[in-house]
Structure formats: structure tokens, C-alpha cells
């Protein structure tokens, strides 16, 4: 839980004054029914010492199908999906995008599987159940992959026409130079198709 020791001073006759910098949770990870806390360096933190929910780190949360083996508290959780999720959450929070678009989940189930599935590595889910297909993480070094900043500009360009609640959109794909999306089918359209 201790990130670093800032100073140690001896106070005579027999006391030490120690200034510590404690680790702060950066994200909540949900795996099945279990929840875990990690800091911005993917260090696993014990939940007992932190308050949940907490606006600083409880939204959005990271979700995945299979994460690597759970480390001991205080150790790095060496999982590509978790690293990609934490990195993206830091980016989203720095730009306040998670609040603007009401992003609840960063799904990292397909991280490093894109070559075999063709799916987006990372999918963001909004409170209106809209998918934002983000693509690879910034450290994947995929050729022709847009940077997080370019993907953010694509998302903002869609928000200009659709609004930030994205209520009418089923998905938005910001992986390409020109973003694409699909609207939810209307109930009247479904009746006509039958």
C-alpha cells in the first residue's frame, strides 16, 4: 500500500517521524462475482482499506473474460487486459470523457486477440447500452492503429450529431479514420419486417 517514503526524521530521544505516500486506487476490476482494486501501476490493493463506492475510482470499471493469475496484495497484476484498461481509464479521466459519455464499463475481453477474431480489443459500454468500439490499446503498437487522441476526436465528432448520451446508437466504431456507427432499430421498422 506504500508507494514511496518521502522522509524519515529522528525526533530525540526515541521517536521516528515518517512521511509516506500511499497508493490510490485507479480502477475497479470485476471478474465474475469478485471485485478488485488496482492503482495506476496495476498494483493489487486490499479493498478493506478503501471506501467503495468512491467517485475517484469506481467508474468505469474494467471487465474481462479471463485475467491472469491473481497476484498477492502489493504486487503487480501482470495482465495485458488490465494494463490496457487502466491505461485507457487514466486517459478517459484526464479528459473527463467517462463522465461526458456516461461510460460504465471498459471491456478488455478481446485484448491481444484482434488478429484472430477481427473484433475490437477494447469496448466501452455506456449507461444507455451503447458500445464504443475503441480498438487496440495505446501500447499494442498495431500498424495503422489510431492514437487514443485521434479516437477521442472521432468520438467527439459523432457526439456533435448524436449528442453525448448516444441513446439512439447501438454502437460506434472509432478505430478508423472515419468513425462508423449503427442506430438501434425502431419498433415500427421491426414490425414491418415481419
Amino acid at each position: 500500500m506504500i508507494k514511496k517514503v518521502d522522509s524519515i526524521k529522528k525526533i530525540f530521544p526515541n521517536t521516528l517521524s515518517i512521511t509516506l505516500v500511499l497508493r490510490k486506487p485507479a480502477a475497479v476490476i470485476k471478474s465474475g462475482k469478485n471485485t478488485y482494486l488496482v492503482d495506476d501501476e496495476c498494483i493489487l490493493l486490499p479493498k478493506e482499506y478503501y471506501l467503495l463506492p468512491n467517485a475517484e475510482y469506481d467508474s468505469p470499471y474494467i471487465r474481462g473474460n479471463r485475467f491472469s493469475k491473481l497476484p498477492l496484495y502489493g504486487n503487480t497484476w501482470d495482465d495485458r487486459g488490465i494494463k490496457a484498461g487502466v491505461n485507457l481509464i487514466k486517459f478517459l479521466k484526464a479528459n473527463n470523457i467517462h463522465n461526458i459519455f456516461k461510460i460504465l464499463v471498459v471491456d478488455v475481453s478481446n485484448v491481444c486477440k484482434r488478429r484472430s477474431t477481427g473484433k475490437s480489443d477494447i469496448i466501452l459500454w455506456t449507461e444507455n447500452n451503447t458500445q464504443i468500439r475503441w480498438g487496440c490499446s495505446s501500447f499494442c503498437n498495431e500498424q495503422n492503429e489510431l492514437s487514443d487522441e485521434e479516437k477521442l476526436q472521432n468520438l467527439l465528432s459523432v457526439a456533435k450529431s448524436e449528442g453525448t448520451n448516444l441513446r439512439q446508437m447501438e454502437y460506434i466504431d472509432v478505430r478508423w479514420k472515419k468513425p462508423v456507427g449503427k442506430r438501434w432499430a425502431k419498433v415500427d421498422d421491426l414490425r414491418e419486417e415481419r
Side-chain angles (χ1 to χ4, degrees):
M1 289 186 39
I2 298 170
K3 191 167 191 169
K4 68 178 184 176
V5 177
D6 265 353
S7 66
I8 301 175
K9 295 179 184 175
K10 181 169 174 133
I11 300 172
F12 289 99
N14 58 1
T15 307
L16 288 177
S17 173
I18 302 172
T19 306
L20 305 171
V21 176
L22 299 177
R23 295 187 179 278
K24 293 182 181 179
V28 175
I29 298 165
K30 291 192 179 180
S31 179
K33 295 179 182 179
N34 299 318
T35 59
Y36 306 99
L37 291 176
V38 293
D39 74 346
D40 59 352
E41 297 173 351
C42 298
I43 303 292
L44 184 63
L45 302 173
K47 291 185 292 189
E48 299 81 41
Y49 300 107
Y50 301 96
L51 297 175
L52 287 172
N54 186 318
E56 289 185 31
Y57 53 85
D58 70 338
S59 179
Y61 66 86
I62 298 170
R63 176 177 69 196
N65 288 341
R66 288 192 175 154
F67 294 119
S68 64
K69 185 178 177 185
L70 188 67
L72 296 174
Y73 290 126
N75 291 321
T76 303
W77 198 341
D78 195 20
D79 184 277
R80 291 179 184 177
I82 292 173
K83 288 179 182 178
V86 169
N87 193 35
L88 183 55
I89 286 175
K90 286 193 299 189
F91 176 77
L92 295 173
K93 284 184 176 181
N95 293 288
N96 200 31
I97 298 304
H98 66 297
N99 285 325
I100 293 170
F101 289 95
K102 305 291 187 234
I103 296 169
L104 300 179
V105 178
V106 176
D107 189 334
V108 295
S109 299
N110 293 317
V111 168
C112 297
K113 297 178 186 173
R114 179 176 171 177
R115 291 184 190 99
S116 60
T117 65
K119 295 179 181 178
S120 176
D121 280 20
I122 300 172
I123 297 174
L124 310 176
W125 290 89
T126 68
E127 72 178 7
N128 293 322
N129 214 26
T130 301
Q131 287 185 29
I132 301 171
R133 298 177 182 170
W134 196 261
C136 287
S137 72
S138 59
F139 59 79
C140 271
N141 297 325
E142 282 286 327
Q143 286 185 329
N144 302 323
E145 183 75 22
L146 298 178
S147 68
D148 285 343
E149 290 79 10
E150 292 170 310
K151 293 174 189 175
L152 175 57
Q153 290 306 314
N154 284 346
L155 181 58
L156 293 173
S157 71
V158 171
K160 282 183 183 177
S161 62
E162 297 297 327
T164 57
N165 66 8
L166 304 174
R167 187 175 315 139
Q168 298 177 7
M169 301 300 290
E170 182 178 342
Y171 73 84
I172 299 167
D173 198 330
V174 297
R175 297 180 284 174
W176 320 113
K177 294 257 186 225
K178 185 176 180 186
V180 296
K182 179 182 175 190
R183 290 179 180 268
W184 289 104
K186 294 182 182 175
V187 174
D188 295 337
D189 295 342
L190 292 175
R191 289 183 188 150
E192 291 174 12
E193 289 177 11
R194 291 182 186 189

